[in-house]
Structures are given as C-alpha cells and as structure tokens.
Amino acid sequence: MYLASGWKDYAILDAGNGDKFERWAGVTLLRPDPQAVWTMDARVFERADAVYHRSASGGGHWEYKRTLPEQWTVAYRDLRFIVRPTGFKHTGLFPEQAVNWDWMRERIEAFSKRTGRRARVLNLFAYTGGATCACAKAGAEVVHVDAAKGMVAWAKDNAAASGLSDAPIRYLVDDCVKFVKREIRRGNRYDGILMDPPSYGRGPTGEMWKIEDNLYPLVELCASLLGDDPCFFLINSYTTGLAPTVLSNVLKLAIPFGHAEADEIGLPIARGDLVLPCGASGRWTNP
C-alpha cells in the first residue's frame, strides 16, 4: 500500500461505524466513510467540532458543535492548503494524496537534475490543486485543468498560500478530454502527466464522463502527449469497482515502455495498527 504517513497537521484519530474522526490542524471533524465498516466508540460524536450527517434523499449537512472559522490552513511539508467544510462532506483536500505528492516531487527533481531543465507537467481533473502545488514546489511548470470554475479559483488560493503565486502555473477551466485533444493537435508535449478522474461527471457544457468507459481512451490520448524522455504518469481512482491492477494494466497497454505498478492508497489510523483505504493509484515511470 502507498501510505500517506508524513502528516503533522492532519490525522485520522479513529474510524468505524461508517465514519472517520479526523483532526485538521486544530479542528476535529466526523465525516462518513463507506470503507470504515468496523466499529468504534460512539462517544467520538461528542468530541467532534463538526459532524456531517447524510440525508436519505442525497447530500447532507454539517452539525457544528462549536463555532468554526469559515476556512483555515493546514500544512504538509513546505505546502499550505486552505480547507473548509463543504456541502458535499469534503474539505477541499484529500490528505492521502500526500504520498503521491512526495513521489512526484522526487521524479520531477530527478528529471531536472538529469536534463538540466524544468519539467513540464499536466494535471487533469486537478480539483483544488494539491498536486499542482507539490509539482510546482519541485520546480515544474504546471498546466492545471478542471471543469469547475470554483475549484480552479480555490487552487489559485492554495498556490498563493504555499508561496507559489508567481510560479509557472497555467490554470484552465475546461473539459479535460477536449483539452487533451487540442493539445495533441497543437503538438504540445509534457514530461509528467497526472489525472484524478471522478467515477461520473460532466464537463462545463454537459459532457458526460464515466470512468469505466472513458479512462483508457483518455490515458491512450495522453500517452501521445508525453515527451521523448518523460518522468512519470500517475492515475488516481476512488472508484471502488476498479482494482489497482486495472490501473497498472491501463498504463502498461497505453505506454508500452517504462515500468507501471499500482496499489491501494491509504491513511494510518491513530487507534491501533489500522489503515483506512482511500482508493488506488497507478504509477508509471521511465527508468
């Protein structure tokens, strides 16, 4: 398993009963997590600063036990991220991705040392820019693409919080598949590519996305964007029906050189020797 164990500002204090009890800097949250099928002490409900309750009709709401700031900052290494509870239970950051941030930074730094130039990285379905900030901190030029205007604005705020306001990051509100096709026609190339596609989604003008149907064709398209000496390709998946091996198979077939592997991604739980699984990642490198 790829384990994101390097956090100081974030921790899963406990998990069970379909929930996870987290510490985000000085704030504790209790949020649903379908993977936590075991039991935990129900008294954590009283210890949480805020609890997210699912609605039987979809969505849900936050119950605040004390007054919280509208947003606050958490740190990971030399990165800073703005988090806030949203109406869809999320906080704007997926902490388990820190293990991939570290991995990409190593690849980017090694690439720059080897080639003497700045790596060019494409981040698709880029959300609030955790990976964008990590790659930029490692010295990469990043193209950040997401279909949601609000998420792109949040990503810019995260970059500013991390001291990256002047970093070479290009932000685009666009449908990822259409953008990749235009980049192919333009003849543009990238040294690293990452994507964090949803299970289902819609683009800015209603384009449908279903990961089982659209993942491989997109990876195949992206493979033609890789430069002559690329350093990495990363796929993240939260879709429970896709095993890690699916991601490594996709990478091996779409990029028939280099090395591909995949595994679960997870976060340690403070109670006992437990780990919360958080999806899977497929990693490709060019030895």
Side-chain angles (χ1 to χ4, degrees), residues 79 81 92-93 101 104 123 126-135 144 155 158:
L79 302 171
F81 302 109
L93 192 68
W101 303 338
M104 287 185 292
N123 186 4
Y127 195 48
T128 60
T132 292
C133 290
C135 292
H144 174 111
N158 280 333

Side-chain angles (χ1 to χ4, degrees), residues 33-37 89 197-200 211-212 236-247 264 277-280:
D33 194 297
Q35 297 289 345
V37 300
K89 87 170 181 176
S199 298
Y200 299 94
I211 195 168
E212 293 89 342
N236 289 307
S237 173
Y238 298 94
T239 305
T240 55
L242 292 185
T245 302
V246 173
L247 301 182
E264 284 186 287
C278 305

Side-chain angles (χ1 to χ4, degrees), residues 4 6-12 20-25 31 74-75 95-96 267-268 276:
W7 280 96
K8 295 181 180 178
D9 266 9
Y10 173 85
I12 298 180
K20 55 188 173 185
F21 181 44
E22 308 163 291
R23 174 179 58 78
W24 295 81
R31 296 191 293 157
V74 298
E96 66 274 8
L267 285 160
L276 184 69

Side-chain angles (χ1 to χ4, degrees), residues 25-98:
V27 177
T28 54
L29 303 177
L30 186 66
R31 296 191 293 157
D33 194 297
Q35 297 289 345
V37 300
W38 52 91
T39 60
M40 71 172 169
D41 190 337
R43 287 175 294 182
V44 299
F45 177 86
E46 302 302 327
R47 294 164 51 199
D49 296 322
V51 178
Y52 188 85
H53 299 282
R54 285 195 181 278
S55 169
S57 59
H61 70 277
W62 287 95
E63 175 188 355
Y64 292 95
K65 304 296 193 64
R66 70 176 178 92
T67 301
L68 297 181
E70 181 180 341
Q71 61 185 37
W72 63 97
T73 302
V74 298
Y76 182 77
R77 294 181 56 180
D78 52 354
L79 302 171
R80 302 292 181 272
F81 302 109
I82 297 166
V83 296
R84 58 177 176 263
T86 71
F88 298 97
K89 87 170 181 176
H90 297 300
T91 62
L93 192 68
F94 292 98
E96 66 274 8
Q97 290 302 320

